[in-house]
Amino acid sequence: MTSSQVLIGVGMVVALAVGCQLLANLLRVPAILLLLPAGFIAGVLTDDVNPEKLLGDAFSPLVSLAVAVILYDAGLGLDLHLLKGHTRTVVVRLIWLGALITFVSAALLAVPIMSMSLSAALMLGAILVVSGPTVVGPLLKFVRPSERLQRILVWEGSLIDPLGGILGAFVFHGVMASGQHGLASQLATFFGSAALGLAGGAAGAALLWQLLRHLALDEVLGTTVQLAAVVSVAAACDALRDDTGLIAAVVMGVALANLPGLDMPARRPFFEALVSLIIGLLFISISATVTPQSLRHVALPTIGLVAALVLVVRPLVAVLSTARTDVPYRERWFIGWMAPRGIVAAATASTFSVSLVQAGIGGAQKILPATFAVIVATVMVYGLTAIPVARRLDVRRSARSRPLLVGGDPWVVELGRALRSAGLDVLLWAGPDGQRRSITDAGLDLAPGELLGAATGVGAEREGITDVLLLTDEDDFNALAFTTLKETVEGPVHCLAPPTRSHGVVAPCTGSEALFGRGLNRPELARRYADGARIVTHRVDEGIPAGHEMLFLVGPDGQISAATEAGAPTPGGGDIAILLRPPAKSPP
């Protein structure tokens, strides 16, 4: 290809990737629904976007390194300490038991249905285990299932990506080793590959642990050090033994998320942006390599494979994973109807299939087009049926607000109880241990982990958070948190007004952002509460009592509206007001 064709091709791939993600955000649909057909159509119309012609032999190793970055980032979210009770039990079972059943079932089905050799079928089964949060998350935003269902499915999607990547890498090396003569040679090759990936990951994690713990690295340098370490370790492992870098990348991410003495940030803006771009580029590039001719021979068999996975395998996984738990049967059935495949399946198929084809594994040339077809089919099936199924099973969450209250002072805890008595499911977060104990002693739900982890991204998806109220007694903390969260939280973010508008670390929130009426700032509210004022609920149909100040309104539909410096919400029929009641007067 000429330099002009390369430039045009690269520009088209980037434009299609970002354009599809932008359009998907506007349409509020999973980006994969647009990325896959866009890349496929572009690959049919022009060779300029075909990565095998743009990059040549560099395409496969670059895909492997890109997947390593995705899996490292996913591994950083592998903290099972945040899972508790029966929810933890279900998620853990979905991961290990679900992966095992799906792997074995898909492999055994692929042999007769796809006319593959057992080795190629095992590789396809390992690839189809994963279901990523990049697909599940957007679908759940539309469905709005119950809070526990939301947590279970988002956690499953977050955890299965890195673990599925490990399984795929191990199976790949097992298949490659099986082509050698002698059992001893096969076992030596397999365990050698596994040991190399584990050792590389352990070494990379140890290096990063030392650097991040003992050097005062700022956010930018700390992020670039992590990126350089992941790419370097994965590249070195891949150079020594094909695709061992994926194992190393996952090990590094999981280790850093769980090693003591290292506090990894809940949000990683650079990694989030990079992973989002990589996902878009990989989907466009990989789907551009799938030709109509390659799909012609796998399209109909894939329909049979998808039918078995959707109608038999996934429901079986859900039944076994929720057995002897307190998960209601309706929710169990919905878990059995949500397992779309995503980017890691596509990327690992692209990475592994090339080497398997070169090794002469029978049916290996069908792995990539079959994976492509399964992704499209599962996303379409679950995307089109998830809402009707959830409605039929009556597992959809009402459109009621679920506010996150940040702070643990006594009046904040009382506000949480008042909002709960008004019919809202309330979540609180506080830093000091004493305040966290006060929240749990009051019977209120405590948000796990860091504030940014709970209020943004996957954390907000897990907990179903719709609003954030910053109510701590630290004005600068409120202002800084507001500045950070308002750019990342989809719902409203409000904070208490400080006593003064000057000399703060950052500009304080004002107007519609500042909570409660003018004059009712943080110290004034704390003073009134100490003097005996209390937070109460009151039906507005009975009128607002004299001397009471409105803090919030909760509508009959469960939507919360805050009183701010810009004005109080207008009460309507059936609304419940959260009021600040003045101190009771002492008898003369």
Side-chain angles (χ1 to χ4, degrees):
M1 300 182 72
T2 65
S3 58
S4 297
Q5 289 175 313
V6 171
L7 290 172
I8 292 173
V10 171
M12 288 178 64
V13 170
V14 174
L16 284 172
V18 178
C20 288
Q21 291 176 327
L22 178 61
L23 183 58
N25 182 69
L26 295 176
L27 298 176
R28 300 190 63 187
V29 299
I32 190 174
L33 286 176
L34 303 180
L35 288 166
L36 286 178
F40 178 73
I41 293 171
V44 172
L45 296 178
T46 176
D47 289 338
D48 289 346
V49 297
N50 190 318
E52 294 174 345
K53 295 184 178 180
L54 279 173
L55 302 173
D57 293 338
F59 174 59
S60 183
L62 286 177
V63 169
S64 181
L65 293 179
V67 176
V69 173
I70 294 174
L71 293 179
Y72 170 77
D73 183 66
L76 289 176
L78 261 174
D79 187 0
L80 286 177
H81 296 98
L82 300 179
L83 281 170
K84 298 178 181 178
H86 284 187
T87 299
R88 177 190 177 97
T89 301
V90 173
V91 171
V92 171
R93 287 179 183 173
L94 283 171
I95 298 303
W96 76 266
L97 186 60
L100 178 62
I101 293 174
T102 304
F103 167 53
V104 173
S105 301
L108 294 178
L109 289 168
V111 174
I113 294 177
M114 306 299 301
S115 299
M116 287 180 167
S117 66
L118 180 59
S119 295
L122 287 171
M123 191 70 257
L124 180 62
I127 289 169
L128 296 182
V129 160
V130 297
S131 171
T134 55
V135 182
V136 174
L139 284 178
L140 295 182
K141 286 183 180 179
F142 287 102
V143 177
R144 290 185 58 82
S146 63
E147 283 80 5
R148 176 158 53 181
L149 265 180
Q150 180 100 1
R151 294 190 195 104
I152 289 173
L153 292 171
V154 171
W155 269 109
E156 180 196 11
S158 301
L159 301 180
I160 197 64
D161 262 7
L163 296 182
I166 289 180
L167 175 63
F170 276 123
V171 171
F172 169 77
H173 291 293
V175 170
M176 294 296 287
S178 67
Q180 300 187 20
H181 297 291
L183 179 62
S185 176
Q186 295 174 5
L187 291 176
T189 300
F190 172 75
F191 286 111
S193 298
L196 176 61
L198 294 172
L207 175 62
L208 280 178
W209 186 78
Q210 291 290 339
L211 292 175
L212 297 176
R213 187 180 183 189
H214 297 293
L215 298 182
L217 303 179
D218 58 24
E219 181 179 354
V220 174
L221 190 55
T223 302
T224 53
V225 165
Q226 291 181 68
L227 180 62
V230 173
V231 173
S232 300
V233 170
C237 291
D238 281 345
L240 295 173
R241 190 72 65 87
D242 286 344
D243 296 307
T244 52
L246 300 184
I247 301 175
V250 177
V251 170
M252 290 175 68
V254 174
L256 288 178
N258 293 276
L259 281 174
L262 187 62
D263 188 16
M264 296 297 291
R267 289 203 67 245
R268 302 172 293 276
F270 177 79
F271 262 108
E272 291 172 3
L274 179 63
V275 168
S276 177
L277 179 61
I278 288 174
I279 288 173
L281 296 177
L282 285 179
F283 266 132
I284 294 294
S285 300
I286 293 171
S287 56
T289 64
V290 179
T291 64
Q293 291 77 15
S294 65
L295 286 176
R296 184 176 303 151
H297 302 292
V298 301
L300 288 178
T302 301
I303 294 176
L305 180 61
V306 169
L309 292 174
V310 171
L311 300 176
V312 179
V313 177
R314 178 62 181 186
L316 176 63
V317 168
V319 169
L320 296 178
S321 298
T322 57
R324 296 184 180 180
T325 67
D326 61 357
V327 178
Y329 282 99
R330 292 178 180 272
E331 294 186 1
R332 299 183 190 192
W333 296 335
F334 187 78
I335 293 173
W337 195 257
M338 183 57 61
R341 272 57 178 183
I343 181 57
V344 173
T348 51
S350 176
T351 300
F352 297 140
S353 62
V354 174
S355 298
L356 294 177
V357 170
Q358 293 174 348
I361 302 297
Q365 72 279 2
K366 297 181 181 179
I367 292 177
L368 180 57
T371 303
F372 178 87
V374 169
I375 292 172
V376 173
T378 55
V379 171
M380 293 295 291
V381 168
Y382 293 123
L384 294 174
T385 63
I387 290 180
V389 169
R391 189 181 294 119
R392 178 89 174 181
L393 295 175
D394 193 25
V395 296
R396 297 191 74 192
R397 182 170 71 237
S398 65
R400 303 180 75 83
S401 299
R402 193 188 197 203
L404 171 65
L405 279 59
V406 180
D409 289 334
W411 72 268
V412 178
V413 176
E414 187 167 286
L415 173 61
R417 287 199 299 261
L419 290 170
R420 187 177 62 180
S421 68
L424 298 185
D425 187 11
V426 182
L427 196 64
L428 278 82
W429 184 93
D433 291 336
Q435 292 185 350
R436 296 175 72 86
R437 283 193 298 270
S438 298
I439 292 170
T440 54
D441 290 344
L444 296 169
D445 292 334
L446 186 65
E450 300 178 9
L451 172 60
L452 291 180
T456 62
V458 176
E461 291 177 5
R462 290 173 186 152
E463 303 299 334
I465 293 169
T466 59
D467 307 72
V468 179
L469 309 174
L470 300 165
L471 309 172
T472 75
D473 58 358
E474 295 289 339
D475 296 322
D476 284 339
F477 174 87
N478 292 339
L480 283 168
F482 174 81
T483 302
T484 302
L485 293 176
K486 71 178 182 179
E487 302 296 334
T488 56
V489 175
E490 292 189 6
V493 181
H494 298 287
C495 67
L496 284 173
T500 177
R501 301 299 184 186
S502 60
H503 309 298
V505 176
V506 296
C509 48
T510 59
S512 61
E513 302 164 345
L515 285 171
F516 313 140
R518 292 188 179 277
L520 192 58
N521 52 32
R522 177 193 55 77
E524 176 63 16
L525 197 154
R527 183 191 66 77
R528 292 194 199 181
Y529 189 83
D531 290 342
R534 292 295 178 262
I535 298 172
V536 297
T537 60
H538 188 82
R539 291 194 173 277
V540 299
D541 297 338
E542 304 168 6
I544 304 297
H548 289 55
E549 293 198 47
M550 183 183 295
L551 304 180
F552 298 95
L553 269 183
V554 179
D557 59 354
Q559 292 295 308
I560 186 174
S561 301
T564 67
E565 287 188 347
T570 303
D575 287 352
I576 297 177
I578 310 299
L579 305 174
L580 182 64
R581 185 187 67 193
K585 294 183 179 180
S586 303

